[in-house]
Amino acid sequence: MNSFFGFLKKEFFHIFRDRRTMLILFGLPVVQLLLFGYAIRNEIEEVKIAILDRSNDYVSQEIINKLLSTGYFVPIKNLTTNDEIDAAFRSGHINEVIVFEANFAHNLFKEGRATIQIITDGSDPNVSRVVEGYTKTVIQDYQESLSENSGQMLRIEPELKMMFNPELKSVYLFVPGLMALILMLVSALMTSITITREKEFGTMEILLVSPLKPYQIILGKTIPYLILSFINVLTIIILAQFIFGVPCNGSILLLLAESLLYIVTALSLGIMISTIADSQQTAMMISLAGLLLPTVMLSGFIFPITSMPMPLQIISNIMPAKWYLIIVRSIMLKGVGIEAFWQETLVLASMTLILMIVSVKKFKIRLQ
């Protein structure tokens, strides 16, 4: 029995001496708990709205004031015609448009009913449903209060419409998100492993003494994955369109070009991981723990970024998937051009440049 306790004591010391094991045992659960606890939220902290008030009477103004007084709704602009609604959504700056019919107050008190149109951005169905729910709740509260004060049974009937996704298909949400996730994991994970494999097998030394320059070694390692990942993009787009019925309303060439940029970003990230990791196992752990969870949680794939605490919103800005997701949704669902997401494209290009410079620099250091 003493020998068993001695063995047990040795195992405890072995665990406590290994920093990586301690980090996985105690650090990872804390990070996951904080990340899940703060990121998994269905509440929307900020709903950007536009108003089209054809009536402009005191009832419509009271409803608008009641919406704004909740603190959730932020007025972005006032519209004057229906033609402006589509452009407002395609700009990507608003989540909802509220349309009051003409003679709203007159219809409400004369006929006992009036309609209000609630139009939301269906490119993110989860957010749209929550925004609709908020708006309907505020309108219903106002309707009950008005009926009680006037002594009449008044009905304000909301007409719901979801732009870009009228049938509320959840695949419209998941296909762009899965594109970002699959391309990031395949490109970054495979690239990081293939270079660290050379280190483990000792074949990297052969490459280092060969006539090949460092940038040629990096290009030779990444170009095959660039081509294979691009084939993955084509496969995903074909499956999305013909199996799941997700349309590509914008330019397919623009979508492919933006996907190519995202793949290069992911490959650059993979190369950088390979310069840090000294084994395939470490590279795989960094890729999976450092990319899989943050890409799912902090890219806006499932949970709205605007509802997260400010520190997580700031961290989300360094996730390439966040910017690619905005671009893919804009092209496939909204059908807009580069003028609507040139800033996101510029962010991805800047990330790629920085990652490539860091990777090549660190790779050169290893040569010396």
Side-chain angles (χ1 to χ4, degrees):
M1 186 56 74
N2 287 336
S3 60
F4 172 73
F5 282 116
F7 176 72
L8 198 60
K9 185 178 176 183
K10 188 270 294 180
E11 286 300 313
F12 270 112
F13 280 129
H14 179 70
I15 292 171
F16 292 146
R17 279 197 301 265
D18 190 347
R19 292 182 180 178
R20 290 179 184 175
T21 304
M22 292 294 290
L23 189 64
I24 293 172
L25 282 175
F26 297 106
L28 199 56
V30 172
V31 171
Q32 287 182 328
L33 183 63
L34 291 175
L35 197 57
F36 277 88
Y38 281 112
I40 300 179
R41 290 185 177 187
N42 290 323
E43 304 92 0
I44 308 295
E45 300 290 340
E46 184 181 275
V47 180
K48 298 173 182 174
I49 61 171
I51 306 290
L52 175 54
D53 189 355
R54 297 199 187 92
S55 180
N56 200 24
D57 52 48
Y58 79 97
V59 177
S60 64
Q61 285 301 315
E62 283 186 352
I63 293 175
I64 293 170
N65 291 337
K66 193 169 180 60
L67 285 168
L68 300 183
S69 66
T70 62
Y72 293 111
F73 297 88
V74 179
I76 299 299
K77 63 192 302 186
N78 290 315
L79 308 179
T80 54
T81 64
N82 280 338
D83 296 335
E84 295 177 287
I85 294 176
D86 187 69
F89 277 112
R90 291 184 189 279
S91 70
H93 297 145
I94 61 169
N95 305 112
E96 182 183 45
V97 172
I98 298 173
V99 183
F100 293 91
E101 65 176 1
N103 303 316
F104 188 82
H106 177 269
N107 294 341
L108 185 61
F109 290 107
K110 188 73 175 179
E111 302 174 7
R113 59 183 292 276
T115 58
I116 182 169
Q117 196 172 18
I118 301 171
I119 308 172
T120 53
D121 185 350
S123 60
D124 192 337
N126 287 347
V127 173
S128 292
R129 289 192 188 98
V130 176
V131 170
E132 279 182 0
Y134 281 9
T135 310
K136 286 195 293 185
T137 301
V138 173
I139 292 173
Q140 189 173 359
D141 287 345
Y142 178 79
Q143 173 189 285
E144 291 173 358
S145 173
L146 194 61
S147 297
E148 188 178 336
N149 293 335
S150 65
Q152 291 180 263
M153 181 59 76
L154 304 175
R155 284 191 307 164
I156 300 176
E157 299 176 348
E159 292 180 352
L160 307 179
K161 181 179 179 182
M162 195 170 285
M163 294 284 288
F164 314 122
N165 186 9
E167 298 177 5
L168 295 176
K169 291 183 177 178
S170 57
V171 290
Y172 284 33
L173 171 71
F174 289 112
V175 166
L178 286 175
M179 278 182 71
L181 180 63
I182 291 170
L183 292 179
M184 174 56 69
L185 285 184
V186 170
S187 304
L189 178 64
M190 296 309 296
T191 310
S192 62
I193 288 176
T194 188
I195 294 178
T196 50
R197 186 191 299 136
E198 298 283 359
K199 296 179 188 175
E200 276 192 337
F201 291 169
T203 50
M204 181 58 79
E205 300 302 325
I206 299 174
L207 290 174
L208 295 179
V209 297
S210 69
L212 292 172
K213 293 185 166 50
Y215 76 87
Q216 290 175 322
I217 296 174
I218 291 176
L219 284 177
K221 286 289 182 186
T222 54
I223 285 177
Y225 291 104
L226 176 67
I227 296 171
L228 293 174
S229 297
F230 192 70
I231 293 173
N232 274 336
V233 172
L234 296 174
T235 307
I236 292 171
I237 292 173
I238 291 171
L239 289 176
Q241 187 148 8
F242 293 103
I243 302 296
F244 298 107
V246 180
C248 182
N249 295 320
S251 167
I252 188 73
L253 290 178
L254 183 59
L255 177 61
L256 293 176
E258 294 285 353
S259 298
L260 197 60
L261 173 61
Y262 179 66
I263 292 170
V264 174
T265 308
L267 290 173
S268 304
L269 192 55
I271 295 169
M272 196 183 75
I273 292 172
S274 72
T275 61
I276 299 170
D278 52 5
S279 67
Q280 294 182 68
Q281 186 181 11
T282 306
M284 190 176 295
M285 285 183 60
I286 294 174
S287 299
L288 291 177
L291 298 179
L292 176 61
L293 193 60
T295 298
V296 173
M297 305 296 293
L298 300 177
S299 66
F301 173 19
I302 298 176
F303 307 105
I305 293 173
T306 52
S307 66
M308 298 176 188
M310 187 52 69
L312 288 184
Q313 291 189 37
I314 294 171
I315 293 173
S316 72
N317 290 325
I318 62 172
M319 300 304 302
K322 171 188 173 180
W323 308 105
Y324 179 64
L325 198 52
I326 295 172
I327 293 170
V328 173
R329 284 175 175 166
S330 299
I331 297 175
M332 294 186 72
L333 303 180
K334 297 181 180 178
V336 296
I338 187 72
E339 68 279 358
F341 49 79
W342 64 270
Q343 292 173 317
E344 286 78 8
T345 304
L346 191 61
V347 171
L348 273 184
S350 302
M351 282 183 177
T352 305
L353 184 62
I354 293 170
L355 288 170
M356 289 179 74
I357 291 173
V358 172
S359 301
V360 171
K361 188 175 179 182
K362 289 185 75 69
F363 195 80
K364 280 181 177 178
I365 289 172
R366 290 190 57 82
L367 286 172
Q368 289 172 353

mmCIF file with all atom_site columns, all heavy atoms in Angstrom, residues 139-157:
data_model
loop_
_atom_site.group_PDB
_atom_site.id
_atom_site.type_symbol
_atom_site.label_atom_id
_atom_site.label_alt_id
_atom_site.label_comp_id
_atom_site.label_asym_id
_atom_site.label_entity_id
_atom_site.label_seq_id
_atom_site.pdbx_PDB_ins_code
_atom_site.Cartn_x
_atom_site.Cartn_y
_atom_site.Cartn_z
_atom_site.occupancy
_atom_site.B_iso_or_equiv
_atom_site.pdbx_formal_charge
_atom_site.auth_seq_id
_atom_site.auth_comp_id
_atom_site.auth_asym_id
_atom_site.auth_atom_id
_atom_site.pdbx_PDB_model_num
ATOM 1   N N   . ILE A 1 139 ? -45.245 47.318 -28.204 1.00 0.00 ? 139 ILE A N   1
ATOM 2   C CA  . ILE A 1 139 ? -46.496 47.765 -28.837 1.00 0.00 ? 139 ILE A CA  1
ATOM 3   C C   . ILE A 1 139 ? -47.706 47.217 -28.077 1.00 0.00 ? 139 ILE A C   1
ATOM 4   O O   . ILE A 1 139 ? -48.693 47.922 -27.875 1.00 0.00 ? 139 ILE A O   1
ATOM 5   C CB  . ILE A 1 139 ? -46.519 47.314 -30.311 1.00 0.00 ? 139 ILE A CB  1
ATOM 6   C CG1 . ILE A 1 139 ? -45.451 48.076 -31.100 1.00 0.00 ? 139 ILE A CG1 1
ATOM 7   C CG2 . ILE A 1 139 ? -47.892 47.544 -30.932 1.00 0.00 ? 139 ILE A CG2 1
ATOM 8   C CD1 . ILE A 1 139 ? -45.259 47.588 -32.523 1.00 0.00 ? 139 ILE A CD1 1
ATOM 9   N N   . GLN A 1 140 ? -47.613 45.977 -27.638 1.00 0.00 ? 140 GLN A N   1
ATOM 10  C CA  . GLN A 1 140 ? -48.729 45.382 -26.899 1.00 0.00 ? 140 GLN A CA  1
ATOM 11  C C   . GLN A 1 140 ? -48.957 46.103 -25.570 1.00 0.00 ? 140 GLN A C   1
ATOM 12  O O   . GLN A 1 140 ? -50.097 46.351 -25.171 1.00 0.00 ? 140 GLN A O   1
ATOM 13  C CB  . GLN A 1 140 ? -48.455 43.898 -26.647 1.00 0.00 ? 140 GLN A CB  1
ATOM 14  C CG  . GLN A 1 140 ? -49.651 43.159 -26.086 1.00 0.00 ? 140 GLN A CG  1
ATOM 15  C CD  . GLN A 1 140 ? -49.402 41.661 -26.000 1.00 0.00 ? 140 GLN A CD  1
ATOM 16  O OE1 . GLN A 1 140 ? -48.347 41.173 -26.381 1.00 0.00 ? 140 GLN A OE1 1
ATOM 17  N NE2 . GLN A 1 140 ? -50.392 40.946 -25.514 1.00 0.00 ? 140 GLN A NE2 1
ATOM 18  N N   . ASP A 1 141 ? -47.868 46.437 -24.880 1.00 0.00 ? 141 ASP A N   1
ATOM 19  C CA  . ASP A 1 141 ? -48.003 47.191 -23.621 1.00 0.00 ? 141 ASP A CA  1
ATOM 20  C C   . ASP A 1 141 ? -48.682 48.534 -23.868 1.00 0.00 ? 141 ASP A C   1
ATOM 21  O O   . ASP A 1 141 ? -49.562 48.951 -23.099 1.00 0.00 ? 141 ASP A O   1
ATOM 22  C CB  . ASP A 1 141 ? -46.624 47.411 -22.989 1.00 0.00 ? 141 ASP A CB  1
ATOM 23  C CG  . ASP A 1 141 ? -46.074 46.139 -22.396 1.00 0.00 ? 141 ASP A CG  1
ATOM 24  O OD1 . ASP A 1 141 ? -46.861 45.187 -22.220 1.00 0.00 ? 141 ASP A OD1 1
ATOM 25  O OD2 . ASP A 1 141 ? -44.863 46.094 -22.126 1.00 0.00 ? 141 ASP A OD2 1
ATOM 26  N N   . TYR A 1 142 ? -48.261 49.204 -24.939 1.00 0.00 ? 142 TYR A N   1
ATOM 27  C CA  . TYR A 1 142 ? -48.861 50.511 -25.256 1.00 0.00 ? 142 TYR A CA  1
ATOM 28  C C   . TYR A 1 142 ? -50.337 50.346 -25.607 1.00 0.00 ? 142 TYR A C   1
ATOM 29  O O   . TYR A 1 142 ? -51.178 51.146 -25.190 1.00 0.00 ? 142 TYR A O   1
ATOM 30  C CB  . TYR A 1 142 ? -48.112 51.161 -26.420 1.00 0.00 ? 142 TYR A CB  1
ATOM 31  C CG  . TYR A 1 142 ? -48.710 52.485 -26.831 1.00 0.00 ? 142 TYR A CG  1
ATOM 32  C CD1 . TYR A 1 142 ? -48.460 53.648 -26.096 1.00 0.00 ? 142 TYR A CD1 1
ATOM 33  C CD2 . TYR A 1 142 ? -49.556 52.575 -27.939 1.00 0.00 ? 142 TYR A CD2 1
ATOM 34  C CE1 . TYR A 1 142 ? -49.022 54.859 -26.459 1.00 0.00 ? 142 TYR A CE1 1
ATOM 35  C CE2 . TYR A 1 142 ? -50.125 53.785 -28.305 1.00 0.00 ? 142 TYR A CE2 1
ATOM 36  C CZ  . TYR A 1 142 ? -49.847 54.914 -27.558 1.00 0.00 ? 142 TYR A CZ  1
ATOM 37  O OH  . TYR A 1 142 ? -50.424 56.115 -27.910 1.00 0.00 ? 142 TYR A OH  1
ATOM 38  N N   . GLN A 1 143 ? -50.668 49.299 -26.369 1.00 0.00 ? 143 GLN A N   1
ATOM 39  C CA  . GLN A 1 143 ? -52.057 49.050 -26.773 1.00 0.00 ? 143 GLN A CA  1
ATOM 40  C C   . GLN A 1 143 ? -52.953 48.836 -25.544 1.00 0.00 ? 143 GLN A C   1
ATOM 41  O O   . GLN A 1 143 ? -54.044 49.410 -25.451 1.00 0.00 ? 143 GLN A O   1
ATOM 42  C CB  . GLN A 1 143 ? -52.114 47.814 -27.668 1.00 0.00 ? 143 GLN A CB  1
ATOM 43  C CG  . GLN A 1 143 ? -53.508 47.347 -28.022 1.00 0.00 ? 143 GLN A CG  1
ATOM 44  C CD  . GLN A 1 143 ? -53.474 46.010 -28.730 1.00 0.00 ? 143 GLN A CD  1
ATOM 45  O OE1 . GLN A 1 143 ? -53.115 45.971 -29.901 1.00 0.00 ? 143 GLN A OE1 1
ATOM 46  N NE2 . GLN A 1 143 ? -53.820 44.941 -28.041 1.00 0.00 ? 143 GLN A NE2 1
ATOM 47  N N   . GLU A 1 144 ? -52.471 48.051 -24.593 1.00 0.00 ? 144 GLU A N   1
ATOM 48  C CA  . GLU A 1 144 ? -53.258 47.797 -23.376 1.00 0.00 ? 144 GLU A CA  1
ATOM 49  C C   . GLU A 1 144 ? -53.439 49.069 -22.566 1.00 0.00 ? 144 GLU A C   1
ATOM 50  O O   . GLU A 1 144 ? -54.538 49.340 -22.045 1.00 0.00 ? 144 GLU A O   1
ATOM 51  C CB  . GLU A 1 144 ? -52.565 46.721 -22.532 1.00 0.00 ? 144 GLU A CB  1
ATOM 52  C CG  . GLU A 1 144 ? -52.601 45.347 -23.186 1.00 0.00 ? 144 GLU A CG  1
ATOM 53  C CD  . GLU A 1 144 ? -51.773 44.328 -22.430 1.00 0.00 ? 144 GLU A CD  1
ATOM 54  O OE1 . GLU A 1 144 ? -51.148 44.728 -21.418 1.00 0.00 ? 144 GLU A OE1 1
ATOM 55  O OE2 . GLU A 1 144 ? -51.737 43.162 -22.860 1.00 0.00 ? 144 GLU A OE2 1
ATOM 56  N N   . SER A 1 145 ? -52.393 49.849 -22.469 1.00 0.00 ? 145 SER A N   1
ATOM 57  C CA  . SER A 1 145 ? -52.471 51.103 -21.719 1.00 0.00 ? 145 SER A CA  1
ATOM 58  C C   . SER A 1 145 ? -53.438 52.077 -22.380 1.00 0.00 ? 145 SER A C   1
ATOM 59  O O   . SER A 1 145 ? -54.253 52.717 -21.710 1.00 0.00 ? 145 SER A O   1
ATOM 60  C CB  . SER A 1 145 ? -51.075 51.722 -21.626 1.00 0.00 ? 145 SER A CB  1
ATOM 61  O OG  . SER A 1 145 ? -51.132 52.994 -21.062 1.00 0.00 ? 145 SER A OG  1
ATOM 62  N N   . LEU A 1 146 ? -53.369 52.163 -23.720 1.00 0.00 ? 146 LEU A N   1
ATOM 63  C CA  . LEU A 1 146 ? -54.244 53.083 -24.464 1.00 0.00 ? 146 LEU A CA  1
ATOM 64  C C   . LEU A 1 146 ? -55.705 52.638 -24.371 1.00 0.00 ? 146 LEU A C   1
ATOM 65  O O   . LEU A 1 146 ? -56.609 53.474 -24.208 1.00 0.00 ? 146 LEU A O   1
ATOM 66  C CB  . LEU A 1 146 ? -53.804 53.133 -25.929 1.00 0.00 ? 146 LEU A CB  1
ATOM 67  C CG  . LEU A 1 146 ? -54.371 54.266 -26.784 1.00 0.00 ? 146 LEU A CG  1
ATOM 68  C CD1 . LEU A 1 146 ? -53.953 55.628 -26.239 1.00 0.00 ? 146 LEU A CD1 1
ATOM 69  C CD2 . LEU A 1 146 ? -53.911 54.118 -28.243 1.00 0.00 ? 146 LEU A CD2 1
ATOM 70  N N   . SER A 1 147 ? -55.954 51.346 -24.461 1.00 0.00 ? 147 SER A N   1
ATOM 71  C CA  . SER A 1 147 ? -57.327 50.833 -24.358 1.00 0.00 ? 147 SER A CA  1
ATOM 72  C C   . SER A 1 147 ? -57.908 51.128 -22.987 1.00 0.00 ? 147 SER A C   1
ATOM 73  O O   . SER A 1 147 ? -59.074 51.505 -22.854 1.00 0.00 ? 147 SER A O   1
ATOM 74  C CB  . SER A 1 147 ? -57.343 49.322 -24.624 1.00 0.00 ? 147 SER A CB  1
ATOM 75  O OG  . SER A 1 147 ? -56.929 49.040 -25.933 1.00 0.00 ? 147 SER A OG  1
ATOM 76  N N   . GLU A 1 148 ? -57.085 50.969 -21.971 1.00 0.00 ? 148 GLU A N   1
ATOM 77  C CA  . GLU A 1 148 ? -57.554 51.200 -20.610 1.00 0.00 ? 148 GLU A CA  1
ATOM 78  C C   . GLU A 1 148 ? -57.880 52.666 -20.380 1.00 0.00 ? 148 GLU A C   1
ATOM 79  O O   . GLU A 1 148 ? -58.897 53.008 -19.781 1.00 0.00 ? 148 GLU A O   1
ATOM 80  C CB  . GLU A 1 148 ? -56.470 50.737 -19.633 1.00 0.00 ? 148 GLU A CB  1
ATOM 81  C CG  . GLU A 1 148 ? -56.910 50.745 -18.190 1.00 0.00 ? 148 GLU A CG  1
ATOM 82  C CD  . GLU A 1 148 ? -55.809 50.220 -17.275 1.00 0.00 ? 148 GLU A CD  1
ATOM 83  O OE1 . GLU A 1 148 ? -54.937 49.466 -17.756 1.00 0.00 ? 148 GLU A OE1 1
ATOM 84  O OE2 . GLU A 1 148 ? -55.823 50.596 -16.099 1.00 0.00 ? 148 GLU A OE2 1
ATOM 85  N N   . ASN A 1 149 ? -57.038 53.547 -20.903 1.00 0.00 ? 149 ASN A N   1
ATOM 86  C CA  . ASN A 1 149 ? -57.254 54.985 -20.687 1.00 0.00 ? 149 ASN A CA  1
ATOM 87  C C   . ASN A 1 149 ? -58.417 55.521 -21.520 1.00 0.00 ? 149 ASN A C   1
ATOM 88  O O   . ASN A 1 149 ? -59.125 56.438 -21.088 1.00 0.00 ? 149 ASN A O   1
ATOM 89  C CB  . ASN A 1 149 ? -55.978 55.752 -21.040 1.00 0.00 ? 149 ASN A CB  1
ATOM 90  C CG  . ASN A 1 149 ? -54.861 55.446 -20.076 1.00 0.00 ? 149 ASN A CG  1
ATOM 91  O OD1 . ASN A 1 149 ? -55.106 55.067 -18.922 1.00 0.00 ? 149 ASN A OD1 1
ATOM 92  N ND2 . ASN A 1 149 ? -53.623 55.577 -20.532 1.00 0.00 ? 149 ASN A ND2 1
ATOM 93  N N   . SER A 1 150 ? -58.600 54.982 -22.737 1.00 0.00 ? 150 SER A N   1
ATOM 94  C CA  . SER A 1 150 ? -59.655 55.504 -23.617 1.00 0.00 ? 150 SER A CA  1
ATOM 95  C C   . SER A 1 150 ? -61.001 54.829 -23.398 1.00 0.00 ? 150 SER A C   1
ATOM 96  O O   . SER A 1 150 ? -62.030 55.307 -23.874 1.00 0.00 ? 150 SER A O   1
ATOM 97  C CB  . SER A 1 150 ? -59.233 55.328 -25.081 1.00 0.00 ? 150 SER A CB  1
ATOM 98  O OG  . SER A 1 150 ? -59.147 53.945 -25.394 1.00 0.00 ? 150 SER A OG  1
ATOM 99  N N   . GLY A 1 151 ? -61.004 53.711 -22.734 1.00 0.00 ? 151 GLY A N   1
ATOM 100 C CA  . GLY A 1 151 ? -62.249 52.978 -22.521 1.00 0.00 ? 151 GLY A CA  1
ATOM 101 C C   . GLY A 1 151 ? -62.728 52.258 -23.765 1.00 0.00 ? 151 GLY A C   1
ATOM 102 O O   . GLY A 1 151 ? -63.889 51.851 -23.845 1.00 0.00 ? 151 GLY A O   1
ATOM 103 N N   . GLN A 1 152 ? -61.880 52.128 -24.762 1.00 0.00 ? 152 GLN A N   1
ATOM 104 C CA  . GLN A 1 152 ? -62.218 51.431 -26.004 1.00 0.00 ? 152 GLN A CA  1
ATOM 105 C C   . GLN A 1 152 ? -61.350 50.183 -26.149 1.00 0.00 ? 152 GLN A C   1
ATOM 106 O O   . GLN A 1 152 ? -60.244 50.127 -25.607 1.00 0.00 ? 152 GLN A O   1
ATOM 107 C CB  . GLN A 1 152 ? -61.952 52.315 -27.231 1.00 0.00 ? 152 GLN A CB  1
ATOM 108 C CG  . GLN A 1 152 ? -62.875 53.494 -27.382 1.00 0.00 ? 152 GLN A CG  1
ATOM 109 C CD  . GLN A 1 152 ? -62.499 54.269 -28.642 1.00 0.00 ? 152 GLN A CD  1
ATOM 110 O OE1 . GLN A 1 152 ? -61.771 55.267 -28.563 1.00 0.00 ? 152 GLN A OE1 1
ATOM 111 N NE2 . GLN A 1 152 ? -62.992 53.837 -29.784 1.00 0.00 ? 152 GLN A NE2 1
ATOM 112 N N   . MET A 1 153 ? -61.868 49.207 -26.896 1.00 0.00 ? 153 MET A N   1
ATOM 113 C CA  . MET A 1 153 ? -61.057 48.042 -27.225 1.00 0.00 ? 153 MET A CA  1
ATOM 114 C C   . MET A 1 153 ? -60.283 48.362 -28.509 1.00 0.00 ? 153 MET A C   1
ATOM 115 O O   . MET A 1 153 ? -60.828 48.313 -29.606 1.00 0.00 ? 153 MET A O   1
ATOM 116 C CB  . MET A 1 153 ? -61.955 46.813 -27.431 1.00 0.00 ? 153 MET A CB  1
ATOM 117 C CG  . MET A 1 153 ? -61.183 45.540 -27.747 1.00 0.00 ? 153 MET A CG  1
ATOM 118 S SD  . MET A 1 153 ? -59.999 45.086 -26.459 1.00 0.00 ? 153 MET A SD  1
ATOM 119 C CE  . MET A 1 153 ? -61.129 44.432 -25.225 1.00 0.00 ? 153 MET A CE  1
ATOM 120 N N   . LEU A 1 154 ? -59.025 48.721 -28.360 1.00 0.00 ? 154 LEU A N   1
ATOM 121 C CA  . LEU A 1 154 ? -58.203 49.119 -29.509 1.00 0.00 ? 154 LEU A CA  1
ATOM 122 C C   . LEU A 1 154 ? -57.208 48.024 -29.838 1.00 0.00 ? 154 LEU A C   1
ATOM 123 O O   . LEU A 1 154 ? -56.669 47.371 -28.943 1.00 0.00 ? 154 LEU A O   1
ATOM 124 C CB  . LEU A 1 154 ? -57.465 50.422 -29.178 1.00 0.00 ? 154 LEU A CB  1
ATOM 125 C CG  . LEU A 1 154 ? -58.348 51.604 -28.759 1.00 0.00 ? 154 LEU A CG  1
ATOM 126 C CD1 . LEU A 1 154 ? -57.486 52.779 -28.334 1.00 0.00 ? 154 LEU A CD1 1
ATOM 127 C CD2 . LEU A 1 154 ? -59.290 52.010 -29.885 1.00 0.00 ? 154 LEU A CD2 1
ATOM 128 N N   . ARG A 1 155 ? -56.995 47.832 -31.125 1.00 0.00 ? 155 ARG A N   1
ATOM 129 C CA  . ARG A 1 155 ? -56.047 46.795 -31.550 1.00 0.00 ? 155 ARG A CA  1
ATOM 130 C C   . ARG A 1 155 ? -55.010 47.393 -32.496 1.00 0.00 ? 155 ARG A C   1
ATOM 131 O O   . ARG A 1 155 ? -55.356 47.987 -33.516 1.00 0.00 ? 155 ARG A O   1
ATOM 132 C CB  . ARG A 1 155 ? -56.774 45.659 -32.266 1.00 0.00 ? 155 ARG A CB  1
ATOM 133 C CG  . ARG A 1 155 ? -57.526 44.724 -31.335 1.00 0.00 ? 155 ARG A CG  1
ATOM 134 C CD  . ARG A 1 155 ? -57.994 43.492 -32.085 1.00 0.00 ? 155 ARG A CD  1
ATOM 135 N NE  . ARG A 1 155 ? -58.749 43.830 -33.287 1.00 0.00 ? 155 ARG A NE  1
ATOM 136 C CZ  . ARG A 1 155 ? -58.992 42.980 -34.260 1.00 0.00 ? 155 ARG A CZ  1
ATOM 137 N NH1 . ARG A 1 155 ? -58.496 41.754 -34.200 1.00 0.00 ? 155 ARG A NH1 1
ATOM 138 N NH2 . ARG A 1 155 ? -59.704 43.341 -35.299 1.00 0.00 ? 155 ARG A NH2 1
ATOM 139 N N   . ILE A 1 156 ? -53.757 47.239 -32.116 1.00 0.00 ? 156 ILE A N   1
ATOM 140 C CA  . ILE A 1 156 ? -52.655 47.606 -33.020 1.00 0.00 ? 156 ILE A CA  1
ATOM 141 C C   . ILE A 1 156 ? -52.080 46.304 -33.555 1.00 0.00 ? 156 ILE A C   1
ATOM 142 O O   . ILE A 1 156 ? -51.503 45.510 -32.799 1.00 0.00 ? 156 ILE A O   1
ATOM 143 C CB  . ILE A 1 156 ? -51.563 48.417 -32.274 1.00 0.00 ? 156 ILE A CB  1
ATOM 144 C CG1 . ILE A 1 156 ? -52.164 49.701 -31.705 1.00 0.00 ? 156 ILE A CG1 1
ATOM 145 C CG2 . ILE A 1 156 ? -50.425 48.746 -33.215 1.00 0.00 ? 156 ILE A CG2 1
ATOM 146 C CD1 . ILE A 1 156 ? -51.196 50.512 -30.863 1.00 0.00 ? 156 ILE A CD1 1
ATOM 147 N N   . GLU A 1 157 ? -52.278 46.047 -34.829 1.00 0.00 ? 157 GLU A N   1
ATOM 148 C CA  . GLU A 1 157 ? -51.910 44.759 -35.415 1.00 0.00 ? 157 GLU A CA  1
ATOM 149 C C   . GLU A 1 157 ? -50.553 44.848 -36.123 1.00 0.00 ? 157 GLU A C   1
ATOM 150 O O   . GLU A 1 157 ? -50.421 45.544 -37.136 1.00 0.00 ? 157 GLU A O   1
ATOM 151 C CB  . GLU A 1 157 ? -52.985 44.301 -36.409 1.00 0.00 ? 157 GLU A CB  1
ATOM 152 C CG  . GLU A 1 157 ? -54.340 44.104 -35.736 1.00 0.00 ? 157 GLU A CG  1
ATOM 153 C CD  . GLU A 1 157 ? -55.420 43.744 -36.738 1.00 0.00 ? 157 GLU A CD  1
ATOM 154 O OE1 . GLU A 1 157 ? -55.156 43.868 -37.958 1.00 0.00 ? 157 GLU A OE1 1
ATOM 155 O OE2 . GLU A 1 157 ? -56.508 43.358 -36.306 1.00 0.00 ? 157 GLU A OE2 1
#
